[in-house]
Amino acid sequence: MKFGGSSVADAEKIRRCADVVRAQQEKHQVVTVVSAMGGVTDLLLELAEAAGSGNRSVKYTLLAEIRRRHEEAAAELGVMEKVEPLLANLETLVAGIVAVGELTPRSRDAVVSHGEQLSAILTAAALDGRAMTGQEVGIVTNDQHGEAEPLMNLSLYQIHENLEPLMANGERIVVTGFLGATQHGVISTIGRGGSDYTATLLGAALKADEIWICSDVDGLMTADPRNVPGAQLLDQITFAESIEMGQFGAKSMHPRALEPSAEHKIPVRVRSSFNTDCPGTLITETAPTTATMRSVLLLKNVALINVAGAAMVGRPGTAAKVFAALAEAEVNVQMISQTVSEAGISLVVAESQLPRARAVLEGQLLRTNAAKRVEVDEHVAVVAAVGSGMRGSVGVAARIFGALSDASINIEAIAQGSSELSVCLVVKGDDGPGAVRAIHDAFGLGGA
Amino acid sequence: MRIFVVGYGVVARSFIDLLEAQQSVLYQQQGLSPRLVGVCDSTGAAVSERGLSADELRAAKESTGTVAGVAGHGVRTVDAAQLIAECDADIVVEASPSQMSTPGRSIENLKAAFRTGKHAISVNKAPLAAAMPAMLELAEFNGVQFRFSGTVGGGTPVLNVARECARGDEVTMVRGIFNGTTNFILWKMHSEGLDFDTVLKEAIDLGYAETDPSADIDGVDAATKVVILANYVLGRPATIGDVKVEGIRGLPRERIEEAAQRGNHLKLIGEIGEALSVAPQEVPIGDPLDVPASLNAITLSLKASSDITLIGRGAGGIETATSVMRDLLDIWNVIGGRS
């Protein structure tokens, strides 16, 4: 079971998590994974950055705030003596970074790792269990600090060897999420997917029956309930669908975090930490369904760029130029669409990256006449309809377009991969929520 | 090339002797001048930058019971993994005894070698049986070579031949006799009509079987070889837990007699097909796998081509030492060889 930051935000919540774990331990063997207390990772990152720029006052501001939150919780849970050494260690570390005035990825990981280490100690105290770091359980990563990649086979083997005997002894183990160590024993953080990734790694290594990802949502929904009042909880979806949904930023799991469980075919349950009556959403290899579509998602704050010009037609390498330019400016392209006429390539990028994207495309393509125009539409939204039932199902597009035309919504661009797991549509930003509702209704996702 | 040897048993000693005996040939033919910079046994180690000789090691072992007795170069009470990490070797030969139930130490030794950028040769089967995918991954991650041809078939180059067969074709099935002791026991039971216990005792007296023969007769040793072949030849990430194992402990003589009535011999067969298994199976008399005494045999079934069988002695200190030498030369060639 993995608990997110908001579920372990203070002593009272940590106690409630411990109660939930204890209840499950009556029937199952449980290993618990925790994130840092809600908001702490951001504070630690800010602290690391500030220290790196030589800011001496952090000790009294950010560090004090971090100290206050953990000391409060520790006092209540009665483990002050275990928390103090870690906080002292953090203070020394930060003082060192301030003194050098330089923050390396390695020292940033060392600072950030304190969040999970502290929350694991606090949770272990509430659970009367044993706190272990990712390094102690055996997660070995490469040395790409901040975005470290686990050495999968080695980590799986070591986790199994280290944890099985402890579990056989009936120990209640609490593992820090998000953390590993290089083969030389230097702490690293595993970046995207974070603590969820730790949970699925552990689950795969221990051949768990299920991996539970517990947070403040009940599970995965057919749509964002704030936008679509009739949105329903999904009971069961496939790994492929979940990965697709995760890519659209649904309150789902990061695709990377699902890899170990998908590969070892271990079901993942996304559920609420405290609303234990709700079973949540089960993610499995295959999921029984008759539904064509699972979920409709909305990606806001994106911009559409249209690179056009007759010079592009039939000229090999134009697309390469466009993407090389964007890569150079470190712009992440979220969606691509081009017709066979080749007269234009449509791209969707995050709004925040638009100025960079525009500048580099104008600079590199217009000047060299590789393209004639770079048109930009800043206020757009991407609507993504996800579901493996769409594969090989005739008439899905017609129903989507029909629904949007009934709602008088114009579609600016379309993309669908040949996997047919999802269809993405670009619409005017203001039309986004309406488009989601229209498609959601047209496919009856709100239930009878 | 600087070599560190972990373990000072029969294989290690034979290898060290071979290294000295072949010195001029290795230099003339391969441009290789190996230097033994360290050896450790269970209680100590000898370390020398300028190289250790087979004679001084043997003398120290005989007079003091440990290689740490080498004058001026002995180190008492060592942590092998730490020594490996800190020594100045290019290649580590892990030749400590295969302890299947406790592979931890040999795994730590290999990890220490890989982590510090050293190539490794293992004749110890335990780390491979328990964690072969992990060891291969770590070696690749650190860009070092990892060889272990002595773990299967002793001096018979089973792994390399098998892999060579698999090139450009597809191995659909591997079956074989991977344990000489059990083959000897089954062969004796059949040919002389003796009981399991009688033959086992004879095998122990002859030195074919260990005083604790469990790993052999319970099929564990054969299972480790199934694991190694599955990983190396078929590229399947397997460990010992994935093999279904049935040994021959206490096998009734009637089973052998019944097999004979059907024109078959009972053999302990390791199989890599849909699943991985080790179990007594009947083999037609005269089949390529119907090998006598303590011989090993392996049959590879190929998709396009026909079956290929390789027969040879499966163990022996000197034979296995030659496989370490082959591995050493392989690594020498891969990392640039004559330069």
Side-chain angles (χ1 to χ4, degrees):
Chain A
M1 296 174 72
K2 175 256 165 178
F3 293 96
S6 57
S7 305
V8 291
D10 55 43
E12 200 255 309
K13 285 188 171 161
I14 288 175
R15 278 220 183 89
R16 285 173 69 191
C17 286
D19 289 341
V20 172
V21 173
R22 256 194 226 103
Q24 291 303 325
Q25 260 162 345
E26 285 171 14
K27 293 163 281 179
H28 309 287
Q29 281 185 297
V30 181
V31 173
T32 311
V33 175
V34 290
S35 301
M37 289 168 83
V40 165
T41 300
D42 287 338
L43 283 174
L44 284 166
L45 277 170
E46 209 182 317
L47 172 67
E49 291 299 335
S53 57
N55 183 343
R56 276 169 214 287
S57 63
V58 289
K59 189 174 164 188
Y60 308 104
T61 54
L62 293 163
L63 194 57
E65 167 68 6
I66 291 165
R67 188 175 268 282
R68 183 189 62 77
R69 286 194 57 187
H70 289 101
E71 280 177 349
E72 267 178 27
E76 226 173 295
L77 294 164
V79 280
M80 202 59 117
E81 79 287 353
K82 287 190 183 160
V83 164
E84 275 310 327
L86 265 176
L87 288 170
N89 186 27
L90 177 63
E91 198 168 320
T92 315
L93 186 63
V94 169
I97 294 170
V98 169
V100 182
E102 181 192 24
L103 182 68
T104 64
R106 181 171 159 168
S107 45
R108 182 189 288 118
D109 273 1
V111 170
V112 171
S113 76
H114 282 79
E116 277 75 14
Q117 292 187 55
L118 286 161
S119 70
I121 286 177
L122 294 171
T123 311
L127 199 54
D128 193 15
R130 172 190 186 127
M132 293 177 80
T133 64
Q135 178 177 15
E136 284 164 343
V137 299
I139 299 175
V140 179
T141 70
N142 63 10
D143 42 19
Q144 197 73 41
H145 286 280
E147 190 70 27
E149 200 64 55
L151 296 181
M152 196 58 82
N153 288 325
L154 183 62
S155 300
L156 291 177
Y157 169 73
Q158 299 199 132
I159 293 166
H160 184 265
E161 289 301 295
N162 292 333
L163 289 189
E164 281 285 334
L166 298 178
M167 289 176 69
N169 259 345
E171 292 214 43
R172 299 188 173 121
I173 300 162
V174 181
V175 181
T176 59
F178 193 49
L179 307 182
T182 68
Q183 57 179 347
H184 304 291
V186 180
I187 288 185
S188 55
T189 64
I190 55 182
R192 296 163 298 138
S195 298
D196 292 354
Y197 199 3
T198 305
T200 53
L201 258 178
L202 260 53
L206 299 170
K207 300 196 169 51
D209 297 318
E210 280 188 17
I211 298 161
W212 289 8
I213 303 297
C214 308
S215 67
D216 51 4
V217 296
D218 278 337
L220 304 178
M221 308 286 287
T222 54
D224 184 345
R226 283 170 301 183
N227 173 31
V228 184
Q232 301 282 311
L233 185 72
L234 292 158
D235 322 323
Q236 199 175 353
I237 61 170
T238 65
F239 284 119
E241 287 168 333
S242 177
I243 287 168
E244 199 77 17
M245 285 169 71
Q247 273 153 355
F248 297 110
K251 264 217 157 178
S252 167
M253 289 174 66
H254 194 282
R256 186 167 173 244
L258 278 168
E259 266 171 37
S261 47
E263 191 172 323
H264 292 85
K265 300 190 174 50
I266 297 175
V268 174
R269 195 180 284 281
V270 178
R271 62 181 306 168
S272 158
S273 300
F274 304 127
N275 180 10
T276 45
D277 294 335
C278 174
T281 304
L282 189 66
I283 308 171
T284 48
E285 177 80 359
T286 53
T289 180
T290 48
T292 324
M293 195 171 287
R294 291 285 196 196
S295 184
V296 188
L297 303 148
L298 183 62
L299 206 60
K300 285 183 284 195
N301 302 325
V302 292
L304 182 71
I305 302 176
N306 205 4
V307 182
M312 295 166 64
V313 179
R315 177 170 297 177
T318 307
K321 274 183 206 147
V322 171
F323 293 111
L326 291 171
E328 197 180 298
E330 291 182 5
V331 173
N332 179 33
V333 179
Q334 297 185 309
M335 176 179 142
I336 304 162
S337 170
Q338 184 192 23
T339 63
V340 177
S341 80
E342 299 181 37
I345 298 176
S346 304
L347 310 163
V348 172
V349 301
E351 212 166 38
S352 59
Q353 298 185 334
L354 178 66
R356 284 213 306 277
R358 186 177 196 165
V360 74
L361 287 175
E362 286 175 351
Q364 300 204 358
L365 295 167
L366 293 191
R367 255 202 330 213
T368 58
N369 279 328
K372 269 276 172 300
R373 295 184 304 281
V374 174
E375 299 155 345
V376 166
D377 191 342
E378 293 171 46
H379 304 291
V380 298
V382 174
V383 177
V386 178
S388 54
M390 291 193 288
R391 189 177 301 158
S393 171
V394 178
V396 175
R399 283 165 73 188
I400 293 174
F401 297 148
L404 293 185
S405 109
D406 290 347
S408 315
I409 292 170
N410 178 42
I411 303 169
E412 301 195 3
I414 304 164
Q416 180 187 29
S418 55
S419 72
E420 294 189 48
L421 272 172
S422 67
V423 177
C424 294
L425 311 164
V426 178
V427 299
K428 283 259 173 286
D430 297 340
D431 289 341
V436 170
R437 279 194 294 272
I439 299 171
H440 196 263
D441 287 347
F443 285 84
L445 293 179
Chain B
M1 177 173 275
R2 296 160 300 177
I3 302 168
F4 188 99
V5 177
V6 186
Y8 194 63
V10 184
V11 175
R13 264 176 288 195
S14 307
F15 170 67
I16 292 168
D17 289 342
L18 192 60
L19 213 51
E20 279 196 10
Q22 297 282 88
Q23 198 152 28
S24 61
V25 178
L26 288 174
Y27 184 70
Q28 281 165 16
Q29 295 185 353
Q30 310 280 346
L32 172 64
S33 50
R35 182 156 33 112
L36 189 64
V37 295
V39 178
C40 76
D41 57 26
S42 56
T43 51
V47 181
S48 167
E49 264 296 294
R50 59 168 179 84
L52 296 158
S53 77
D55 286 343
E56 61 183 337
L57 287 166
R58 186 167 286 127
K61 184 81 178 181
E62 275 166 15
S63 60
T64 66
T66 166
V67 292
V70 173
H73 297 287
V75 187
R76 303 265 172 184
T77 61
V78 288
D79 173 351
Q82 194 187 347
L83 209 55
I84 290 168
E86 289 170 0
C87 75
D88 262 330
D90 304 300
I91 292 196
V92 173
V93 178
E94 162 58 57
S96 51
S98 297
Q99 283 164 325
M100 293 308 163
S101 52
T102 52
R105 186 149 308 162
S106 51
I107 288 176
E108 288 308 315
N109 290 347
L110 290 176
K111 276 167 63 185
F114 296 148
R115 182 173 74 229
T116 51
K118 300 178 177 79
H119 310 287
I121 297 168
S122 184
V123 276
N124 185 342
K125 292 182 283 277
L128 296 170
M132 187 154 174
M135 294 298 104
L136 291 172
E137 178 184 57
L138 195 59
E140 192 188 346
F141 175 69
N142 286 294
V144 296
Q145 296 291 316
F146 181 35
R147 297 295 152 107
F148 33 81
S149 62
T151 54
V152 183
T156 314
V158 173
L159 287 175
N160 289 336
V161 171
R163 201 164 186 180
E164 181 64 26
C165 291
R167 282 209 298 169
D169 201 337
E170 192 184 319
V171 176
T172 52
M173 164 103 110
V174 178
R175 295 179 78 219
I177 293 165
F178 301 124
N179 181 272
T181 309
T182 47
N183 200 53
F184 176 81
I185 293 171
L186 292 170
W187 173 70
K188 273 272 184 181
M189 285 174 76
H190 166 80
S191 58
E192 297 181 13
L194 299 170
D195 280 333
F196 177 83
D197 291 327
T198 316
V199 185
L200 177 60
K201 190 172 173 306
E202 190 187 334
I204 292 172
D205 291 343
L206 283 171
Y208 281 166
E210 309 275 334
T211 39
D212 175 9
S214 305
D216 289 330
I217 63 177
D218 291 335
V220 177
D221 178 66
T224 63
K225 291 157 183 175
V226 165
V227 168
I228 295 166
L229 282 161
N231 276 283
Y232 187 70
V233 181
L234 285 90
R236 282 202 221 161
T239 61
I240 191 104
D242 301 320
V243 189
K244 194 163 168 284
V245 187
E246 185 192 333
I248 62 160
R249 186 189 284 268
L251 187 92
R253 207 169 66 205
E254 293 75 48
R255 278 201 60 189
I256 291 186
E257 284 159 4
E258 284 163 25
Q261 278 163 18
R262 285 189 283 265
N264 295 333
H265 281 157
L266 198 66
K267 297 282 178 191
L268 184 63
I269 300 286
E271 190 171 296
I272 305 162
E274 286 287 300
L276 309 180
S277 68
V278 171
Q281 285 188 23
E282 291 185 19
V283 169
I285 291 172
D287 186 276
L289 286 183
D290 180 21
V291 292
S294 63
L295 284 176
N296 282 19
I298 177 173
T299 298
L300 297 147
S301 302
L302 301 167
K303 197 169 187 180
S305 169
S306 56
D307 287 4
I308 294 170
T309 300
L310 185 69
I311 299 171
R313 277 197 63 185
I318 296 167
E319 287 86 343
T320 307
T322 61
S323 77
V324 179
M325 187 62 89
R326 278 200 303 270
D327 284 347
L328 182 72
L329 290 172
D330 263 3
I331 294 176
W332 176 240
N333 287 329
V334 171
I335 63 174
R338 236 187 152 121
S339 58

